Amino acid sequence: MTVTQGAPAISQITPSSAGAGDQVQILGHSFAGNTTIYFPGPGGIQLAVPLGNVTGLSQLQCTVPLSSVSGPVFLQTKTDTAVMFTSNSVAFTRIPHIRIRANRRDLSAGEMVQFQSRILGEDLSPAVTWTADLGTISGTGAYVAPANLTMYSFAVVSGCIQAGHACDKFRLGLHPFRVGPTVPIVAGGHSLQLGGILGNGAVSPWWALTAC
């Protein structure tokens, strides 16, 4: 009697919605041999997650790849005789993440900075809802610090994907005025012109040099 291995079959992936770096389980049967799970990636590429030899298992656990997107998940197994089997595919939904950034972390009173956002794990570009606990921010991510600052404080800006639960936060330092340039680096023997910045204009502060 000759027993041949059948193609692996996936019954479900649980949870069927997950974010990058989350753990998911693949349930099914006929898992045998060196196995690789494939997640959909950007631009139609397949992201491979090698699991090694899984003979005798009816459920597999793996980590969702960082660049994965929503789409079909399937697996391939390679037997000891070098025969390759491909399973059916099951639907997987990648929960998107959002990252927000600004090109400055410190602002003077009344100064504006434009926030940028990046949606990870989503081919579309969903709208972003912006909020700030101090100061104002527009629907396009343009933040303006309060004009009446009298002491150093902080503002936390949040960007959330609309109709979703993914959010990111960015903390700003707010000052009555600030010193520019933002990164005051100068080579030995050279000079650097510093300036006081308030809102969209300049101020003339009193300067002092302290050795440390």
Side-chain angles (χ1 to χ4, degrees), residues 5-13 25-32 35 37 54 57-60 73-77 85-90:
Q5 177 183 329
I10 301 176
S11 59
Q12 71 176 113
I13 180 172
Q25 286 189 330
I26 309 292
L27 308 180
H29 61 81
S30 299
F31 300 153
T35 299
I37 298 177
V54 299
L57 299 179
S58 61
Q59 65 179 38
L60 311 175
V73 171
F74 65 94
L75 61 83
Q76 288 184 332
T77 59
F85 289 102
T86 301
S87 75
N88 62 304
S89 62
V90 292

Side-chain angles (χ1 to χ4, degrees), residues 104-124:
R104 283 198 306 275
R105 287 189 174 272
D106 292 279
L107 299 177
S108 64
E111 192 172 5
M112 188 271 285
V113 68
Q114 178 66 51
F115 273 84
Q116 305 293 330
S117 64
R118 176 73 182 271
I119 309 297
L120 307 177
E122 182 63 65
D123 288 336
L124 304 176

Side-chain angles (χ1 to χ4, degrees), residues 133-198:
D133 64 352
L134 185 61
T136 60
I137 190 166
S138 71
T140 59
Y143 173 83
V144 179
N148 57 349
L149 288 172
T150 58
M151 59 184 300
Y152 178 72
S153 59
F154 293 98
V156 177
V157 174
S158 298
C160 298
I161 301 174
Q162 290 186 1
H165 302 288
C167 296
D168 192 23
K169 295 182 179 181
F170 192 90
R171 191 169 76 162
L172 296 168
L174 306 180
H175 311 263
F177 76 94
R178 67 179 180 88
V179 173
T182 303
V183 183
I185 298 177
V186 61
H190 294 259
S191 63
L192 175 68
Q193 179 62 55
L194 301 176
I197 301 171
L198 176 59

